[in-house]
Amino acid sequence: MDAASIAMRANFRRADVITMINKANAGHIGGSLSSLDIISVLYDRVMNIDPKMLKDPNRDRFLLSKGHSVEGYLVVLADKGFFPKEELREFSQAGSHLIGHPNNKVPGIEMCTGALGHGLSIGVGMALAAKRLNRTYRTFVLLGDGELAEGSVWEAAMAGANYRLDNLFAIIDRNGLQISGDTEDVMALENLAEKWTAFGWNVTEVDGHDVQAMMDYFSSRKAENKPHCLICKTIKCKGLPAGENKKEWHHKVPNEQQVKEALEALGVKEVDWL
Amino acid sequence: MKTEAVRMAFTAALLEAAKNDETIFAVTTDSRGSVTLGDFAKQLPQQFVEIGIAEQNAIGVSAGLANAGLRPFVCGPASFYSLRSAEQIKVDVAYSNMNVKIMAVSGGVSYGALGTSHHATQDIALMRAIPGIEVYLPADGAQMRAMLKYFVKSNKPAYVRMGRGAVPEVYKDEAPFVSGKANCLREGKDIALIACGEMVYHCLQAAELLVEQGVEASVIDMHTLSPIDKDAIIKAAKTGLVITVEEHCIHGGLGSAVASILAEECPTAMCILGLPDEDIYNGASADVFEYYGLNGSGIAKKVLEVLKK
Ligand SMILES: [Mg+2]
């Protein structure tokens, strides 16, 4: 799939996320929309994974360490056929596995994540297993920027470099916001690239909404005995005009009018699964 | 009296099992010395993972290894694994249902005079409250070997607490072990002593002392704390008096588990022996046991007191 097609798919998925959160009256919309282009590039282009490969030992692994951004992830999985799109209607409903954080009872989800600071450790284990077992799969872990205040992230960062896991990617959704406000006001992260570099990672910064740039990054990555860190500059709540770059939209629910405006701006008439 | 450190029985058996099964991994946190994994690390470096002093990371890494089909045994001090990495155990292992075995050594007060920071006396309570993870306390080396045969085949997450020092043998050579089925080591009509881990031996000693006083005690080894053997507890209650003995805080451990089953099924007089809800007395584990009456003579004395009431 080329960059234009992926960007278009990502726009449809934004409409899905916005609609799903409105219908469920719950969800973490800000981070779901900031990370949607990243997840789309991974699933549409980069990763060796499809619904027939769920038990394939050589499938690429994806972990949503910032598990609260599950809405975007679920929409991508449904769109890729891991489960029927109609099931998105059940999001956050009683008895559903489609809950507010990734649950590995849902086809395609490897691990239950969302307690922040856990994902990269699990990713280190997956990547280390690939090395020890001579498997070629790669592991991609998507982290939030607010999440990086968890000390366990840095335990895992140390281990990833120690074991020279060049089959491991830490991707950071650098939207600059967390629930209480600007990350630099809550707990300063900068200079973030220098921190990861100092921990022994190969660091690259990219526009997390530039599909082509992210595709180029992943296709040009080489194994250099170091794990990879991709800092994606993103806009929180990207695609919902009322909420872009506003901390209040970490987990605010859009009303009917805001959904209508957003879908119009995205050029989507209506979602196909309601 | 033959004695053996359970952690050494464990690592020797794990090494032998791992030689025949390359999916068995040992993961540790700068604890290869205290766990006694030195030989494993030397002989099977491809199946050994050093994480450094980072227990949270060790559990997460182990969950990732398990996701790839490996069988990690993550080994280190019980105090740190049960508390510092409790959330990783809950979410990455139990909730995600990853086949990780947490082999927690130097549990209870076996670090002795190193003090409360290094004691693990809340671990049964914590681990029993997490759905999806089994909890075991082997009584001696032979039982540990029997358990390990189960662990290398089972795909279920487990937390296993061992002590540090050599403990007297409870079982000769082969210990009978079925997960979730308690072992009745002695039948007596007057009272039932239910114990786990190192306390099983001390209860057997107490039962011997009680014979001299004309008291016949049953002794039950509750090696599996979760899922706990309800039937064995109900059967023990037929004596009319149940005393539980554990190297754990009296809140939330074996005693609490037994009490809740008795309360629901067949209310029975009982008494919970363990470490009280206070700043714990300092000393080697034998000193701590002596101080709180958690050895043969202390347990026997308590039984006689309770019977008099
Ligand atoms: Mg953020």
Side-chain angles (χ1 to χ4, degrees), chain B residues 39 57 176 208 288:
Chain B
D39 289 343
N57 193 35
E208 285 293 325
V288 179

Side-chain angles (χ1 to χ4, degrees), chain A residues 175-194:
Chain A
N175 56 32
L177 290 174
Q178 56 192 109
I179 196 165
S180 306
D182 191 308
T183 57
E184 301 315 285
D185 295 333
V186 179
M187 182 51 65
L189 292 172
E190 294 298 341
N191 187 309
L192 193 55
E194 282 179 12

Side-chain angles (χ1 to χ4, degrees), chain A residues 105-116:
Chain A
K105 292 188 183 78
V106 175
I109 296 183
E110 299 281 350
M111 298 286 296
C112 299
T113 54
L116 296 177

Side-chain angles (χ1 to χ4, degrees), chain A residues 66 144-146 173-178 183 236:
Chain A
K66 51 170 308 197
D145 48 6
D173 179 11
R174 183 73 174 112
N175 56 32
L177 290 174
Q178 56 192 109
T183 57
K236 198 156 179 172

Side-chain angles (χ1 to χ4, degrees), chain B residues 154-187:
Chain B
S154 155
N155 287 323
K156 292 179 186 152
Y159 174 87
V160 186
R161 189 234 268 187
M162 294 163 259
R164 182 167 180 81
V167 296
E169 72 173 11
V170 168
Y171 296 95
K172 309 274 177 226
D173 306 318
E174 199 71 6
F177 172 74
V178 177
S179 170
K181 288 278 163 249
N183 291 343
C184 183
L185 302 180
R186 191 180 174 121
E187 300 257 17

Side-chain angles (χ1 to χ4, degrees), chain B:
Chain B
M1 181 180 65
K2 227 174 104 184
T3 66
E4 182 183 23
V6 179
R7 66 198 159 110
M8 294 181 184
F10 155 61
T11 50
L14 185 74
L15 177 57
E16 287 316 306
K19 281 177 183 168
N20 298 314
D21 181 349
E22 58 193 21
T23 68
I24 293 175
F25 269 50
V27 179
T28 193
T29 41
D30 198 23
S31 309
R32 71 183 81 184
S34 74
V35 178
T36 65
L37 278 169
D39 289 343
F40 192 112
K42 274 195 203 106
Q43 293 181 41
L44 300 173
Q46 279 300 307
Q47 289 162 253
F48 180 79
V49 178
E50 175 62 75
I51 292 296
I53 306 168
E55 292 80 12
Q56 298 175 78
N57 193 35
I59 298 291
V61 168
S62 297
L65 294 171
N67 175 281
L70 297 173
R71 298 176 168 273
F73 286 72
V74 53
C75 313
S79 54
F80 313 132
Y81 276 97
S82 61
L83 281 157
R84 189 191 288 263
S85 54
E87 190 185 72
Q88 278 79 5
I89 294 174
K90 174 190 142 195
V91 181
D92 309 353
V93 177
Y95 181 36
S96 293
N97 192 24
M98 289 296 122
N99 181 11
V100 175
K101 306 292 194 281
I102 297 138
M103 308 304 288
V105 303
S106 306
V109 295
S110 58
Y111 263 132
L114 290 188
T116 292
S117 60
H118 282 59
H119 294 165
T121 57
Q122 301 78 19
D123 52 348
I124 300 175
L126 276 155
M127 295 302 145
R128 267 181 52 82
I130 298 175
I133 185 163
E134 298 177 342
V135 182
Y136 298 95
L137 267 76
D140 71 358
Q143 191 176 50
M144 182 67 246
R145 282 185 283 276
M147 281 184 182
L148 195 77
K149 287 181 186 160
Y150 165 75
F151 294 147
V152 298
K153 291 206 180 83
S154 155
N155 287 323
K156 292 179 186 152
Y159 174 87
V160 186
R161 189 234 268 187
M162 294 163 259
R164 182 167 180 81
V167 296
E169 72 173 11
V170 168
Y171 296 95
K172 309 274 177 226
D173 306 318
E174 199 71 6
F177 172 74
V178 177
S179 170
K181 288 278 163 249
N183 291 343
C184 183
L185 302 180
R186 191 180 174 121
E187 300 257 17
K189 64 176 179 10
D190 299 323
I191 178 186
L193 294 167
I194 304 179
C196 56
E198 206 169 324
M199 287 299 128
V200 174
Y201 171 79
H202 296 293
C203 284
L204 287 169
Q205 294 293 101
E208 285 293 325
L209 294 171
L210 287 167
V211 171
E212 296 160 21
Q213 306 293 324
V215 175
E216 291 177 31
S218 292
V219 176
I220 292 142
D221 172 10
M222 192 62 71
H223 49 70
T224 309
L225 278 293
S226 185
I228 203 158
D229 188 345
K230 201 171 168 178
D231 294 342
I233 294 167
I234 293 168
K235 196 175 162 214
K238 296 211 164 81
T239 58
L241 177 59
V242 172
I243 295 187
T244 59
V245 190
E246 62 197 300
E247 186 183 351
H248 186 271
C249 176
I250 51 168
H251 300 315
L254 172 67
S256 298
V258 170
S260 69
I261 286 169
L262 292 181
E264 286 186 356
E265 301 288 335
C266 50
T268 305
M270 78 168 288
C271 181
I272 297 173
L273 303 188
L275 297 161
D277 188 2
E278 66 181 36
D279 190 14
I280 295 298
Y281 178 78
N282 290 324
S285 63
D287 301 325
V288 179
F289 294 161
E290 172 73 27
Y291 185 84
Y292 291 115
L294 297 174
N295 53 18
S297 57
I299 296 164
K301 192 168 154 235
K302 185 74 188 180
V303 169
L304 293 173
E305 275 172 33
V306 175
L307 281 171
K308 253 185 221 152
K309 276 192 206 163

